[in-house]
């Protein structure tokens, strides 16, 4: 485990701050994961989508109210 | 001439596709090294114990919250001046990434503040100006969603992004200008870092990893944005085929 101690439970305990430390790292993992997943999912949708057939991510023509 | 060629959506799309792995893999390696040195090798802090290890995700996300904003404002200016389609796409592509890292900086700061300061939140200058940054990002996302012509939306977002630049120096200097619970700069100081190398090394590894991460996901997002905006052109139909 390196110089900080031998056991996994000690590592997870983080000197009593385990909740704060691991929640931070968990949140970071979620944010990083979503940032990778979002463009992959969008690209898959964009490549599959045929113009004019399925509903695009954004309206092709502005609604009359905005014209 | 060459620069112009790569600024065309089609060439950008191809070039970015080839660049992404060259950013992604170094990012993964640096992040693994940063996590190992930060969580295992670095000793506990003499005052904060192991709680200070939050720094290795907090500082890189806070750094990105500012860096992404600067990148967004830069591409906004380029889009307004030269009407470059790729720059216009990059402006709106930056906003969700920046928002997510600003949120992460606020959340991890809160999780660090609770055990160290005894409170999740204080309305002081650093925290408040960072919260304003989150609202700027969310405002740009909302503005982009509210205007259906992508190019008009980009231009509106660009103006908002440039106006919001004023928040960046406020965030950076807030810890010097006002009394605050938040600690001052420990890395980017005139007289050199005041943090021990055993903690500085993982911090710099994580900052580098997060920066590469941003560049990689930005290219991924701009590629999507360009595919969407150019969906009626022939090259996009070829990509689909």
């Amino acid at each position: 485990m390196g110089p900080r101690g031998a056991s996994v439970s000690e590592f997870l305990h983080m000197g009593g701050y385990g909740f704060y430390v691991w929640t931070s790292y968990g949140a970071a993992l979620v944010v990083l994961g979503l940032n990778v997943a979002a463009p992959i999912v969008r690209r898959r949708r964009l490549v599959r989508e045929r113009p004019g057939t399925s509903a695009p991510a954004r309206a092709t023509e502005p609604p009359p109210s905005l014209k | 001439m060459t620069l112009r060629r790569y600024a065309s959506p089609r060439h950008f799309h191809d070039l970015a596709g080839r660049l992404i792995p060259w950013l992604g893999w170094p990012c993964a390696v640096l992040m693994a090294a940063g996590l190992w040195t930060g969580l295992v090798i670095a000793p506990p802090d003499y005052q904060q114990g192991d709680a200070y290890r939050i720094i290795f995700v907090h500082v890189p996300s806070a750094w990105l919250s500012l860096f992404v904003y600067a990148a967004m404002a830069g591409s906004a200016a380029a889009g307004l001046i030269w009407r470059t389609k790729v720059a216009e796409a990059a402006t709106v592509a930056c906003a969700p990434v920046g928002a997510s890292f600003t949120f992460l900086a606020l959340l991890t700061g809160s999780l660090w503040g609770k055990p160290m300061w005894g409170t999740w939140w204080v309305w002081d200058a650093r925290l408040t100006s960072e919260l304003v940054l989150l609202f700027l990002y969310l405002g740009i996302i909302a503005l982009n969603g509210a205007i259906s012509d992508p190019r008009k939306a980009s231009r509106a977002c660009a103006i908002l992004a440039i106006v919001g630049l004023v928040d960046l120096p406020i965030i950076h200097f807030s810890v010097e200008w006002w009394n605050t619970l938040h600690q001052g700069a420990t890395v980017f100081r005139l007289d050199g870092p005041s943090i021990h190398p055993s903690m500085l090394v993982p911090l710099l590894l994580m900052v580098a990893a997060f920066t590469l991460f941003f560049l990689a996901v930005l290219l991924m997002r701009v590629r999507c944005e360009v595919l969407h905006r150019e969906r009626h052109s022939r090259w996009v139909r070829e990509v689909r085929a």
Side-chain angles (χ1 to χ4, degrees):
Chain A
M1 237 27 259
R4 289 199 319 106
S7 75
V8 174
S9 68
E10 203 178 312
F11 179 66
L12 293 178
H13 190 243
M14 278 287 156
Y17 296 112
F19 168 74
Y20 302 103
V21 172
W22 295 119
T23 310
S24 295
Y25 280 80
L29 189 70
V30 170
V31 166
L32 292 171
L34 288 177
N35 270 304
V36 173
I40 291 175
V41 170
R42 187 174 182 207
R43 183 178 173 85
R44 210 169 283 168
R45 208 171 288 159
L46 284 169
V47 170
R48 231 182 272 148
E49 161 193 315
R50 291 278 172 277
T53 52
S54 65
R58 188 200 288 268
T60 317
E61 280 173 48
S65 58
L66 285 172
K67 259 290 186 201
Chain B
M1 248 349 248
T2 11
L3 197 68
R4 222 198 170 120
R5 207 166 76 98
Y6 283 115
S8 90
R10 180 188 183 166
H11 284 101
F12 173 86
H13 181 269
D14 294 347
L15 181 70
R18 271 177 279 143
L19 270 175
I20 288 164
W22 292 95
L23 296 163
W25 285 110
C27 165
V29 171
L30 288 171
M31 200 169 286
L35 287 174
W36 175 255
T37 51
L39 288 172
V40 180
I41 305 292
D45 184 70
Y46 79 103
Q47 278 184 327
Q48 303 196 2
D50 285 308
Y52 89 94
R53 292 181 203 281
I54 293 172
I55 199 175
F56 303 126
V57 286
H58 176 70
V59 167
S61 31
W63 151 251
L64 269 197
S65 73
L66 302 179
F67 182 75
V68 173
Y69 200 93
M72 180 172 70
S75 72
L80 286 178
I81 295 166
W82 295 297
R83 299 280 161 108
T84 320
K85 286 178 177 176
V86 171
E88 291 177 350
T91 306
V92 297
C94 280
V97 186
S100 66
F101 282 101
T102 308
F103 169 76
L104 187 60
L106 288 166
L107 180 71
T108 55
S110 191
L111 284 160
W112 197 2
K114 184 61 184 167
M116 290 301 122
W117 300 341
T119 177
W120 299 103
W121 183 263
V122 281
W123 289 102
D124 83 341
R126 170 57 68 86
L127 281 71
T128 308
S129 54
E130 184 76 9
L131 186 64
V132 168
L133 187 70
L134 179 62
F135 290 145
L136 279 169
Y137 278 124
L138 296 178
I140 287 164
I141 293 169
L143 188 59
N144 182 47
I147 303 172
S148 48
D149 175 13
R151 298 204 70 181
K152 279 184 196 151
S154 282
R155 253 167 264 150
C157 291
I159 292 164
L160 180 54
I162 290 166
V163 171
L165 261 181
V166 73
D167 195 34
L168 257 52
I170 296 178
I171 295 171
H172 182 75
F173 293 110
S174 56
V175 288
E176 293 174 24
W177 291 345
W178 291 284
N179 278 323
T180 171
L181 274 180
H182 197 285
Q183 67 188 71
T186 47
V187 178
F188 301 108
R189 292 156 55 102
L190 289 176
D191 51 348
S194 63
I195 171 175
H196 192 267
S198 64
M199 300 170 180
L200 181 62
V201 167
L203 185 58
L204 294 180
L205 285 169
M206 292 299 276
V207 166
F210 271 55
T211 308
L212 287 176
F213 179 87
F214 159 61
L215 295 174
V217 295
L218 176 66
L219 290 184
M220 290 166 77
R221 276 182 187 270
V222 179
R223 286 183 97 211
C224 289
E225 197 60 39
V226 158
L227 272 190
H228 172 65
R229 290 173 181 220
E230 303 285 303
R231 62 192 176 286
H232 299 301
S233 66
R234 206 170 66 188
W235 73 269
V236 173
R237 268 181 246 145
E238 284 167 14
V239 168
R240 285 209 188 107

